[in-house]
Amino acid sequence: MHLGDSPAGMKLLDQAEKFVHESDLGILLHQRAFILWQNGRLTDALRWFEAAEPHLEANGPDWLYAGLFLNRAAVWRDLGELQRGLASIERAIRLYEAIGSPLLQAKARHAEALILLDLGEMAKALQAFDLLRVQYRQYAPELESFLEGSYADALLYVGMYRQAAEHWADAIAALRLAGDHRSAAIFEFWRAVAAFEDNQFELATVWAKRAMDSLYEQRNEPMAFLARLLILQGQFDSRTEGFDFADKVSRLCVALEQRGWTMRLNQAKILAARARIRAGDLEGIETALDENQAGPGYEALAEGLARHLARAELAEARGLDPMPELQAGLDLLDEYRMTFGSVEFQAGVSALGVQLASRGLTHTTNHGTPSDMFRWAERCRAQALRIPPVKSSAESDAREALGRLRQARQLLWDIQVEGGDATEALGRVQSLEEEIRAYDRAKPGPGQQADRVVPEDLHELAESRGTVVISLYEVGGFLRAVLAGGAGLKHVRLLPLADASELERRLGADLDALGKPFKLPPRLQSSVEGSLRRNAAALAAGIWGPIADYVGDSQVVIVPHSRLAWVPWPLLPQLRGRPMTVSPSAEAWWRAVHRTRATGPALVAAGPGLSRAGGEIETVAGLYPAANLITAEHSDPELVLKALDGASVAHIAAHGHHEPDNVLFSRLDFGLGPLNAYELLGLDQPPGHVVLSSCDLGRSTVAVGNETLGFTAALLHAGTSTVVSSLGRVPDDMAAEMMIEYHRRCAAGATPAEALAAVGEHRPWHPFVAFGA
């Protein structure tokens, strides 16, 4: 069975039964139940486990009697009977404790953690996984690949599909190497699920077919049917399904039910219903969608979201309003998001509602008012920013781990400077970062979020401040803007999003070239600057031209589409010299405007390696009475973090690093180590106004759910109202010159947007942007 030939295993058991002594019969019956479970025959497996139980209770062996409850718990889990599964595994744990087997206890705790994960107890499950990794490495390293699969499950449940796929890929390779083809095939199925959810339909089909072929070969028909169902679901979402698609899905549902399989069965039925709706076959369709799945956890959530989406599609097919169903689905997702304390998880969860959000945005654009569009655009972005930080980085265990990480990074830096082999030091850094991430991910959420803002109230606020809010989103391949603060709320269609995204890419390349640490030859410098001007003008023509009359001379707040997150907006001709800010959402801007700002002493700090930082920070510090001045040679990240808490304004001249694959460890470099973005979330009273005068920490990574993460985003999430940072590298002399003038204007009473606009008006290019409000 382990090698993938279950029928041969069952045949051997049948032969062995003729010779087995009565006292050993429980072992054989348990083996039969186990193989049936492993091949998806769940109700048959339960029957044989029940037959084995009295024999094992009477005759032992004790470890297998305990194992019966462990394995039966897994069957109940596959059937969706989670409370029964939990009761069974708790019985197994008690029995293993009595026997005194650390490894078997660990395996039982693993099964318990998986059920807790299914029940929505993510924090408890992740804490258990971390403990299990230590135990497996001590007692059974070969089982660690199963733990990789468990971590992948957790990441899938929060929409972090690509990270989940990486864990499954590692686990599949290890299982194939060990000869465990059955487990490898099941993990291949879940690898396909991750690719499908990430809209990588071709890749999902490749993995699903690989899993399906292997599962059929092993006679595991139910799981093979699920792999086949996943292929069909990819065809449906990519609109390549055939005319008899609904019948194909319905036949698979019947086959699963006949085999007593319930996992994902209701989702399959919902898919069949959606196929009938798309085909116009609406008779009796309500029956398939009336059932409501109750209970916590990801599978119940996924089913609920799919049912709301199907009901919305049915409403549209009948000419009715789909919005109540779409709204209910995203409300369900809001409740789920609040259970997580990790910003990464909060952001990733948004991916689970992409189809609902996209359909709502399309419907309101085609049939609604500008107010409807504005409201729905806000449901599609920056949802994580509505949840208050859990501040796990301020806890003692996290602080200790962060201290070790600083030391490890400093050692890594020293080795790299000396040209030595940094492999071991790099591994140590990565290991500590994973430890801190695991600690953060295991934290439960606050269970609360900020209230929604009514578009009319937001329009009134913008109008009172002489500001126009420009909210950009996409429908039908075109970039669109919903405008507030001028002559009423207004919707305008702009250029194709693909064109705008390409211009953003070119502008980014131009900025990177101009920000090189070495001076470009004059002709090349002139060529790059010319390219930047042309690309900025082209983007302005597509975006600004259609909205220029509405905006007039007003200040602006731009809420960009996620694919335009790196646009250097101040370089657009119509925005040069105009006060403007960039905000993750209109609601985030609203909250930043109304937030009570810190009033403590200013912080002015420098890190090492900047040629003019000393003069820059001394001049800036002189503009603010009683400022805390931290020079490069005395720059300790712990002191900087302490001085940030409660500061009215903070100016930091330090090199930094945006880590697109590990955004919580984007960082600023100081003399005694880095200050990580993750640490900012632990501030009790974040500074109201932060300026990062070097590096490119205005950049962000867009998560699967179109949420932005990075150093600047972490400050905004922590509660800072305004962050001035760069979208590209900044030559030291330009940064120092601009920032001194900028702070002089701020100290004289200008707002950050006004000061940056005035400073940048007569410079041919600069990459600084004011984020927030």
Side-chain angles (χ1 to χ4, degrees):
M1 182 275 297
H2 182 78
L3 294 173
D5 193 352
S6 293
M10 292 295 283
K11 185 177 180 180
L12 286 169
L13 282 179
D14 290 340
Q15 294 170 352
E17 190 168 4
K18 303 171 187 176
F19 306 100
V20 168
H21 190 274
E22 176 68 19
S23 63
D24 291 330
L25 184 58
I27 300 173
L28 185 142
L29 297 177
H30 180 277
Q31 287 285 342
R32 184 171 288 148
F34 187 87
I35 293 178
L36 288 167
W37 161 50
Q38 298 281 280
N39 286 274
R41 295 171 58 182
L42 305 181
T43 53
D44 289 339
L46 285 175
R47 180 164 54 87
W48 285 104
F49 277 133
E50 185 177 355
E53 183 176 350
H55 293 279
L56 291 173
E57 183 179 20
N59 303 304
D62 291 344
W63 63 268
L64 190 56
Y65 179 54
L68 179 141
F69 293 98
L70 166 62
N71 294 325
R72 188 154 56 188
V75 179
W76 286 126
R77 179 182 179 235
D78 286 347
L79 285 167
E81 298 280 355
L82 300 180
Q83 292 300 335
R84 286 187 172 186
L86 196 59
S88 186
I89 197 61
E90 287 171 352
R91 176 82 179 274
I93 290 170
R94 290 195 298 271
L95 290 169
Y96 281 137
E97 286 175 346
I99 295 169
S101 171
L103 175 58
L104 294 176
Q105 283 185 59
K107 293 175 72 173
R109 293 291 184 189
H110 192 170
E112 180 186 42
L114 289 172
I115 295 175
L116 289 172
L117 187 64
D118 292 341
L119 286 167
E121 299 280 358
M122 177 77 77
K124 291 181 180 178
L126 289 173
Q127 288 171 350
F129 292 159
D130 292 338
L131 291 173
L132 285 164
R133 187 181 292 281
V134 176
Q135 293 174 310
Y136 281 168
R137 285 179 178 176
Q138 181 177 359
Y139 298 114
E142 69 277 7
L143 295 180
E144 197 168 349
S145 57
F146 291 97
L147 202 56
E148 291 297 328
S150 301
Y151 278 111
D153 285 342
L155 293 169
L156 175 72
Y157 290 3
V158 293
M160 298 177 68
Y161 304 128
R162 294 179 188 180
Q163 295 92 329
E166 291 172 3
H167 281 274
W168 271 313
D170 290 343
I172 290 165
L175 290 167
R176 288 290 184 195
L177 187 64
D180 187 350
H181 303 295
R182 189 206 70 84
S183 299
I186 293 174
F187 279 12
E188 284 168 351
F189 164 76
W190 288 108
R191 173 67 181 82
V193 170
F196 167 77
E197 297 291 358
D198 198 25
N199 295 322
Q200 299 183 63
F201 298 125
E202 291 185 8
L203 181 61
T205 299
V206 169
W207 280 102
K209 284 183 176 177
R210 185 182 302 179
M212 183 176 65
D213 292 344
S214 183
L215 290 162
Y216 271 131
E217 184 180 339
Q218 298 169 32
R219 308 295 196 272
N220 189 342
E221 284 188 336
M223 284 299 299
F225 291 165
L226 285 184
R228 172 63 178 154
L229 182 66
L230 191 63
I231 295 170
L232 292 174
Q233 195 165 2
Q235 292 173 359
F236 182 81
D237 277 24
S238 60
R239 292 187 173 270
T240 57
E241 75 274 23
F243 70 94
D244 60 343
F245 180 85
D247 289 338
K248 290 180 182 177
V249 179
S250 296
R251 288 195 296 271
L252 276 175
C253 291
V254 170
L256 288 167
E257 284 188 294
Q258 288 175 341
R259 288 155 178 80
W261 190 271
T262 58
M263 185 169 68
R264 298 210 148 201
L265 177 59
N266 284 339
Q267 291 188 53
K269 291 179 178 179
I270 293 169
L271 177 62
R274 292 182 66 201
R276 287 180 55 196
I277 293 168
R278 183 179 288 180
D281 177 14
L282 307 182
E283 185 177 351
I285 201 72
E286 292 92 343
T287 304
L289 300 177
D290 278 347
E291 182 180 352
N292 280 300
Q293 172 73 18
Y298 171 76
E299 288 296 333
L301 172 73
E303 182 181 323
L305 296 178
R307 184 170 280 110
H308 283 300
L309 179 61
R311 287 173 176 165
E313 291 169 343
L314 178 60
E316 283 190 307
R318 290 181 166 159
L320 303 174
D321 184 7
M323 299 309 291
E325 290 292 346
L326 298 173
Q327 184 75 42
L330 290 187
D331 288 345
L332 189 64
L333 197 62
D334 280 349
E335 294 296 321
Y336 185 67
R337 184 185 290 104
M338 288 187 291
T339 65
F340 300 109
S342 163
V343 175
E344 284 184 299
F345 283 1
Q346 293 165 1
V349 162
S350 297
L352 307 180
V354 164
Q355 288 193 68
L356 290 164
S358 176
R359 198 167 196 94
L361 202 50
T362 298
H363 183 82
T364 54
T365 299
N366 293 333
H367 304 285
T369 66
S371 178
D372 295 330
M373 299 173 207
F374 213 116
R375 182 181 293 106
W376 204 258
E378 288 297 291
R379 292 306 307 258
C380 302
R381 52 167 57 111
Q383 299 305 295
L385 289 183
R386 299 180 57 234
I387 301 175
V390 171
K391 300 184 179 180
S392 59
S393 65
E395 297 176 7
S396 57
D397 288 348
R399 298 304 314 159
E400 182 181 342
L402 285 163
R404 295 198 303 271
L405 175 60
R406 274 196 247 286
Q407 294 173 359
R409 275 215 169 273
Q410 200 69 18
L411 176 61
L412 174 62
W413 171 255
D414 293 341
I415 293 173
Q416 289 173 332
V417 168
E418 295 169 1
D421 183 359
T423 305
E424 184 178 344
L426 179 60
R428 171 67 172 161
V429 166
Q430 293 171 341
S431 176
L432 284 166
E433 288 180 349
E434 281 305 308
E435 178 185 336
I436 294 166
R437 281 178 103 176
Y439 183 85
D440 184 60
R441 289 172 172 178
K443 289 296 177 183
Q448 59 180 308
Q449 59 186 356
D451 293 334
R452 300 257 172 218
V453 180
V454 177
E456 287 73 15
D457 290 348
L458 194 142
H459 170 74
E460 184 179 333
L461 175 66
E463 190 176 32
S464 70
R465 296 170 65 89
T467 298
V468 168
V469 177
I470 305 167
S471 180
L472 300 175
Y473 70 94
E474 177 268 337
V475 164
F478 283 88
L479 190 65
R480 298 166 185 271
V482 186
L483 309 171
L489 292 165
K490 184 176 181 180
H491 162 246
V492 181
R493 193 180 84 164
L494 307 174
L495 75 167
L497 177 61
D499 294 350
S501 182
E502 173 60 18
L503 288 168
E504 184 224 37
R505 186 193 66 78
R506 294 179 184 178
L507 282 168
D510 292 337
L511 273 180
D512 283 344
L514 291 172
K516 295 292 184 185
F518 52 84
K519 189 171 180 61
L520 297 176
R523 290 182 63 182
L524 181 56
Q525 176 88 8
S526 177
S527 174
V528 174
E529 288 182 354
S531 173
L532 187 147
R533 284 193 295 270
R534 289 190 298 273
N535 290 322
L539 188 60
I543 292 180
W544 198 262
I547 66 175
D549 290 343
Y550 182 98
V551 177
D553 296 327
S554 299
Q555 299 187 28
V556 297
V557 173
I558 295 178
V559 181
H561 186 279
S562 60
R563 288 175 60 184
L564 302 179
W566 289 8
V567 169
W569 297 101
L571 300 189
L572 273 60
Q574 296 87 341
L575 289 175
R576 185 173 298 144
R578 183 192 298 259
M580 64 154 294
T581 55
V582 175
S583 182
S585 71
E587 290 183 351
W589 173 74
W590 163 281
R591 292 192 295 272
V593 169
H594 286 90
R595 185 176 293 124
T596 300
R597 299 197 177 198
T599 57
L603 164 67
V604 184
L610 292 174
S611 59
R612 292 184 58 179
E616 174 186 342
I617 64 168
E618 289 175 2
T619 303
V620 170
L623 299 172
Y624 297 100
N628 286 320
L629 177 63
I630 300 178
T631 59
E633 57 270 24
H634 298 107
S635 57
D636 181 342
E638 294 283 354
L639 292 178
V640 172
L641 192 66
K642 185 176 180 180
L644 278 171
D645 223 337
S648 55
V649 60
H651 175 91
I652 301 176
H655 283 306
H657 311 270
H658 174 65
E659 298 286 355
D661 297 323
N662 201 359
V663 287
L664 289 182
F665 294 99
S666 295
R667 59 195 180 277
L668 287 166
D669 290 335
F670 292 103
L672 298 182
L675 175 63
N676 301 288
Y678 170 60
E679 298 175 80
L680 302 173
L681 300 174
L683 294 172
D684 289 328
Q685 191 177 20
H689 173 196
V690 176
V691 178
L692 307 174
S693 70
S694 299
C695 65
D696 56 358
L697 289 181
R699 291 189 173 182
S700 58
T701 291
V702 179
V704 178
N706 294 327
E707 302 266 333
T708 56
L709 297 171
F711 202 93
T712 293
L715 280 164
L716 295 175
H717 196 168
T720 293
S721 294
T722 306
V723 181
V724 173
S725 55
S726 171
L727 290 172
R729 292 178 178 176
V730 192
D732 291 353
D733 54 350
M734 172 189 281
E737 178 187 331
M738 284 188 66
M739 290 300 101
I740 289 172
E741 183 180 345
Y742 169 84
H743 279 287
R744 281 180 177 146
R745 292 178 179 273
C746 287
T751 67
E754 291 167 345
L756 189 61
V759 169
E761 183 172 8
H762 301 297
R763 288 175 168 84
W765 69 271
H766 74 84
F768 286 103
V769 176
F771 294 92

